[in-house]
Amino acid sequence: MANGTVRDRRSEWDTQGGQWEYRVLRIPPTTSGGDARRLLTDEAEYGRWELARLRLYAGGERRVWLRRKIIRVRSTLAETLG
């Protein structure tokens, strides 16, 4: 970046037309940090979500944007019958 070039942050998935599904979670200020971490860990492990963005607001509320890849399955049935 010292030579003035801008690094492209898009992944190979994005450049090949991959699409993402998003989900927004609102975590109230009364939720402890450990409980919030546990919630996000469960979402990542069992729902295959990954953290896209986290915002902490003045009142203590957290808003979390999760994303996961949309995987489209192409039918191979027509190929085997033809």
Side-chain angles (χ1 to χ4, degrees):
M1 291 207 195
N3 62 1
T5 61
V6 177
R7 203 153 127 205
D8 189 11
R9 292 180 174 236
R10 295 179 65 178
S11 68
E12 183 179 343
W13 172 261
D14 293 331
T15 57
Q16 293 179 357
Q19 295 180 340
W20 298 96
E21 172 183 9
Y22 287 88
R23 180 174 174 194
V24 179
L25 297 177
R26 296 173 79 174
I27 302 174
T30 56
T31 305
S32 71
D35 288 341
R37 183 175 33 251
R38 200 169 304 116
L39 170 73
L40 295 175
T41 302
D42 287 344
E43 292 294 330
E45 188 171 341
Y46 300 115
R48 298 190 179 257
W49 293 97
E50 64 183 41
L51 182 64
R53 182 177 185 177
L54 177 94
R55 297 280 312 247
L56 178 61
Y57 291 93
E61 178 188 27
R62 297 176 191 97
R63 250 184 234 165
V64 181
W65 282 260
L66 302 174
R67 70 178 186 178
R68 67 180 170 190
K69 294 178 182 178
I70 298 175
I71 299 174
R72 306 221 189 273
V73 180
R74 281 186 259 148
S75 175
T76 58
L77 186 58
E79 295 173 10
T80 58
L81 292 178

